[in-house]
Amino acid sequence: MQQIDKKQLSLLIIVFLIGSTPLFELGIEAKQDAWLAMLIAAGAGMLLTVMYVKLQQRAPNAGLADLLKYHFGRILGGSLATIYAIWFAYESMRNVRDVGELTTMALLGLTPKWIIMFLILLLSAYTISKGIEVFARVVQLLFPLVVLSYSSIILLIFFSGLVKFNQLLPILERGPMPVLKAVPDLVAFPFAQMVIMLVFMHLVKEKKSLERVTYRSQLSVSLFLVLMNALVLCVLGPQLAGVTSLPLLEVVQLVRLANFLERLDIIVTLLLFIGLYVKITTLYFASVFTMIAVTGLSSRNLLFPIGIFIYATSFLEPNNTYHLWIGLEITLKIVPVFQIAFPLLMLVVGIRKRYKPEAAGGGRRAEGVKEK
């Protein structure tokens, strides 16, 4: 049985939730109050995380698929777990497409998207074939690079004199409604994506530390995302930030220090690939783990079919405009069913049920993907 420790879970939560999120100016429809909408959404996301942890504590050795079976029965719960697995694969597909679109748009304009998407998915599939322990160690290795890169960006932005705090004023100029309207989408992405960690929490060795580690990790990443959101606003202002495809890239291109240090695009490029790689692999992992628990099949029988599904569906959207429209106008309105509705229903159902954690399972346990 493959397991991870509490530190590895903490770093996975942080890097997964950060992903490529700081590259975009989320909640910009609230103009200069986007950071405030992000802050409120972070608070709502923390409440959802409390719900996820409480669900996990009912059956500490159960993954998401088993939790669904406990609450809704073998047939209905297994069906819902299959739908979750498809959703995880779909979300992984969206990130694969993001890699292709953002790379060709900002970096490699002459490279075909299908090659870029194929390579990033192949890298994820190879990582998954080595097991969750290997992936957790990869995230540990990448974490210092992420911290160093973002720290360098923040310091250089301040030293360049680009930050103008008056860009955040006036606060609530148009009242609270624009802020409140932006909150639901911000909760759905990125904060409520913590529901995916229900697939991995049962693999943590130190079960007693799970609650504390999860809350601290969520709080840390929430404060960081709010800070980055406000920082981009302070540099670009709400008007420019709202029309720029990659606001953080635009910000670092403005950095000039002593006519020597400039063109820091490579740092943003590095963060782009690290963040999307971790998100793609985590979601791909979650889909494979969930289907293992539902079907009882081995990882080698599921890894490539799911990978083929992810890769093939990444071509269904004809262009980036359509891709973004699907993501922002349709996907974000549907995903609360998986992030809020079903977990909340499990929480309510659980009040009237008694659990036997030792009865975990039904199907093959998704304790690790690598098989001897």
Side-chain angles (χ1 to χ4, degrees):
M1 173 178 168
Q2 294 199 30
Q3 290 185 313
I4 58 178
D5 60 38
K6 61 182 181 181
K7 181 179 178 181
Q8 290 173 327
L9 176 68
S10 175
L11 297 185
L12 178 59
I13 291 172
I14 292 172
V15 180
F16 173 79
L17 287 182
I18 290 177
S20 59
T21 305
L23 301 179
F24 308 96
E25 189 63 9
L26 301 178
I28 193 60
E29 57 268 28
K31 301 297 182 181
Q32 67 268 22
D33 295 320
W35 67 275
L36 186 57
M38 180 74 83
L39 183 62
I40 297 172
M46 182 62 73
L47 293 177
L48 290 176
T49 299
V50 172
M51 177 172 64
Y52 303 148
V53 171
K54 295 303 180 184
L55 286 173
Q56 181 61 41
Q57 288 176 336
R58 288 178 174 172
N61 296 315
L64 176 61
D66 290 331
L67 285 171
L68 288 166
K69 292 178 185 178
Y70 292 162
H71 289 85
F72 303 120
R74 190 178 186 85
I75 295 177
L76 180 57
S79 300
L80 290 175
T82 302
I83 295 173
Y84 264 96
I86 296 172
W87 173 52
F88 295 147
Y90 168 78
E91 290 288 349
S92 183
M93 175 277 288
R94 295 201 59 79
N95 285 277
V96 169
R97 183 61 182 261
D98 283 340
V99 170
E101 295 290 350
L102 295 175
T103 303
T104 54
M105 177 175 59
L107 302 169
L108 306 174
L110 299 179
T111 305
K113 284 195 292 286
W114 69 267
I115 293 179
I116 297 169
M117 294 190 295
F118 176 75
L119 290 177
I120 191 71
L121 190 59
L122 184 65
L123 179 61
S124 293
Y126 178 75
T127 305
I128 293 171
S129 71
K130 297 301 178 180
I132 187 64
E133 292 179 352
V134 171
F135 179 51
R137 288 195 291 271
V138 169
V139 174
Q140 277 185 296
L141 292 173
L142 293 175
F143 180 74
L145 195 56
V146 172
V147 172
L148 179 62
S149 298
Y150 277 115
S151 298
S152 300
I153 288 174
I154 293 171
L155 290 175
L156 290 172
I157 290 172
F158 275 101
F159 288 152
S160 297
L162 296 172
V163 179
K164 298 178 178 62
F165 291 104
N166 64 322
Q167 300 272 32
L168 301 179
L169 301 175
I171 297 176
L172 296 178
E173 179 184 18
R174 298 178 296 159
M177 288 311 299
V179 173
L180 296 178
K181 287 180 180 179
V183 168
D185 286 350
L186 291 174
V187 173
F189 175 80
F191 300 108
Q193 288 190 329
M194 265 295 293
V195 70
I196 293 158
M197 292 301 144
L198 283 173
V199 178
F200 303 99
M201 285 178 177
H202 74 288
L203 301 176
V204 177
K205 301 171 188 176
E206 305 94 335
K207 297 290 193 298
K208 293 182 179 179
S209 304
L210 182 63
E211 186 174 12
R212 183 176 66 256
V213 167
T214 303
Y215 295 157
R216 286 180 178 177
S217 303
Q218 172 99 1
L219 180 61
S220 300
V221 75
S222 297
L223 293 176
F224 170 75
L225 292 177
V226 172
L227 169 65
M228 291 302 297
N229 189 286
L231 188 60
V232 170
L233 279 173
C234 287
V235 175
L236 298 181
Q239 285 74 30
L240 183 55
V243 298
T244 304
S245 299
L246 291 173
L248 186 59
L249 181 61
E250 188 76 20
V251 169
V252 299
Q253 288 176 343
L254 297 175
V255 172
R256 301 285 189 278
L257 284 177
N259 294 319
F260 168 70
L261 189 60
E262 58 183 36
R263 300 298 297 175
L264 303 175
D265 306 34
I266 185 61
I267 299 179
V268 176
T269 302
L270 181 67
L271 292 170
L272 170 69
F273 280 104
I274 289 176
L276 288 175
Y277 160 73
V278 171
K279 295 211 81 165
I280 290 167
T281 307
T282 303
L283 291 160
Y284 193 171
F285 244 128
S287 182
V288 171
F289 274 3
T290 305
M291 287 307 297
I292 288 174
V294 171
T295 64
L297 296 174
S298 66
S299 63
R300 62 172 62 101
N301 291 327
L302 291 168
L303 181 62
F304 290 104
I306 293 176
I308 292 171
F309 171 82
I310 293 172
Y311 187 65
T313 53
S314 66
F315 293 96
L316 292 179
E317 298 163 334
N319 52 55
N320 190 43
T321 301
Y322 191 78
H323 171 69
L324 293 176
W325 178 77
I326 290 289
L328 298 175
E329 300 299 327
I330 297 179
T331 300
L332 287 183
K333 305 301 185 290
I334 296 175
V335 292
V337 174
F338 302 99
Q339 299 169 336
I340 302 174
F342 287 145
L344 185 59
L345 188 57
M346 279 195 285
L347 194 69
V348 173
V349 169
I351 295 174
R352 301 177 60 85
K353 294 190 68 172
R354 298 180 64 184
Y355 292 93
K356 298 180 180 179
E358 67 274 8
R364 189 188 186 94
R365 294 297 305 280
E367 294 164 338
V369 170
K370 185 176 180 181
E371 303 210 358
K372 302 293 184 182

